[in-house]
Amino acid sequence: MANTYEAVFILHPVLSDDQVRETVEKFEGILKTKGAKLNHRENWGLKKLAYPIQKKKSGFYTLLEFDASGEVIDEFELQLRRDERVMRYLTVKLDKHAKDFAEKRRQKMNANA
């Protein structure tokens, strides 16, 4: 049975917009080839970090929401760890309350767009 997950990762600030897009598409492709269903993607852009990571003070943030089995998460996180462009990542499993909140957030974003 597939669970819903949310993954946020931070990419190096020295990347170009094309490199950021390619990297995000790479991770989306990994999820799709493993059978995950992508529900939503948000590019938050270049943001200041709360504390320096690898002597960097900012990074490109991306959020992916997807449905997948637990085995997919292991491979996905392995690829995140191996990619030198990724400074940090966090993957969380969403419970029913978090799913409702994420849906409301998306609707609010769509209404403002």
Side-chain angles (χ1 to χ4, degrees):
M1 183 182 138
N3 296 309
T4 302
Y5 294 91
E6 210 172 64
V8 175
F9 50 92
I10 307 170
L11 302 176
H12 277 278
V14 297
L15 299 175
S16 70
D17 288 342
D18 288 340
Q19 290 171 315
V20 170
R21 189 180 66 252
E22 288 169 9
T23 305
V24 171
E25 288 171 356
K26 170 190 167 186
F27 291 117
E28 286 178 345
I30 290 168
L31 289 170
K32 287 177 184 174
T33 57
K34 295 294 180 184
K37 176 183 167 264
L38 285 167
N39 299 330
H40 184 65
R41 171 175 75 176
E42 290 179 26
N43 292 317
W44 296 344
L46 187 65
K47 299 235 180 249
K48 187 175 185 292
L49 301 174
Y51 55 89
I53 300 172
Q54 300 173 5
K55 299 183 181 178
K56 306 284 190 283
K57 294 182 179 177
S58 61
F60 289 100
Y61 282 71
T62 301
L63 175 138
L64 296 176
E65 184 184 319
F66 55 94
D67 296 330
S69 63
E71 299 82 45
V72 173
I73 302 304
D74 294 336
E75 176 63 25
F76 178 64
E77 289 187 341
L78 177 65
Q79 295 301 324
L80 285 167
R81 278 193 297 275
R82 285 182 175 167
D83 196 317
E84 70 277 357
R85 297 171 288 195
V86 177
M87 297 193 308
R88 284 283 193 282
Y89 68 90
L90 177 68
T91 306
V92 293
K93 180 179 166 186
L94 301 180
D95 63 6
K96 65 179 182 175
H97 303 293
K99 285 183 202 176
D100 292 342
F101 178 80
E103 183 62 35
K104 287 177 187 172
R105 189 184 76 227
R106 280 198 302 272
Q107 288 173 355
K108 187 176 179 183
M109 282 179 49
N110 291 338
N112 292 339

